Amino acid sequence: NNGPNSATGVSLTDPLPTNTAFVSANTTFGTCAQATGTVTCNLGTLANGASATITIVITPNTSAVPSISNTASVVANENDPNAANNSVTATTAVRLAADLQVTKADAPDPVPAGQNLVYTVGVTNNGPHSADNVVLTAPLPAGTTFVSATAPCVHAAGTVTCNLGALANGASVPLTITVTVTGAAVSPLSNTATATSTTFDPVAGNNSATSSTVITPVADMQITKTAAPNPVNAGQNLTYTV
């Protein structure tokens, strides 16, 4: 109330935007209630210079994209010489959200140098909406050679890229990437897979997963043996060279 006198019978109304769900309404002065999509707050008397803060929480649904607009208005019993500031409107952009989660496992672990190592990767959309243009990338660790990957994954320049397209709420895609561990690999062997989407992700911390694999050293022992003389006469010495 900008005054100069007290305002009595102060009432605020806020019709909620369509395609939203009411959650709560609270005020620092007076009372608020919601009915048939409109929040009404009875604030009683506001002295000259007094104010009340009202907090309204709603949840937009998928039909609210790309924006919602909301107008709150206040009236009182007294004549208001400046009615132009008795209403205010807020417009909010609304974007869909999809929480992508990546899981990763390796086998065998430990892996002997020179053998194949298989990464099993899972990409899951925890929702609440569909995730568009989902892409998984997995740069291969040094000391490995690419062998194969589940379609539609492709390998180029040391990185496996999987263009998964749209992933519905609750959908999951299993993928495998197989590499050969070379003798140049350093133990433990670490590999990270990361998923991205053009849809907003509210939980970015689970978009990547890393596996660490122990490499078992391998030593190829070889033995040779010769016998001389051959043939050998009975009673004669026979020498083995190993």
Side-chain angles (χ1 to χ4, degrees), residues 33 49-50 59 62 73 132 135-136 138 143 201 205 217 220 222 239:
T59 302
T62 56
S73 303
D132 295 327
V135 178
L136 178 91
D201 192 329
D220 180 16
Q222 181 179 0
T239 302

Side-chain angles (χ1 to χ4, degrees), residues 4 12 41 52 64 78 91 112 117 121 124 134 136 171 213-214 225 228 242:
L12 176 133
C41 299
E78 288 71 30
T91 300
L117 173 64
V121 184
T124 301
V134 178
L136 178 91
T213 311
V214 175
K225 187 178 182 185
V242 181

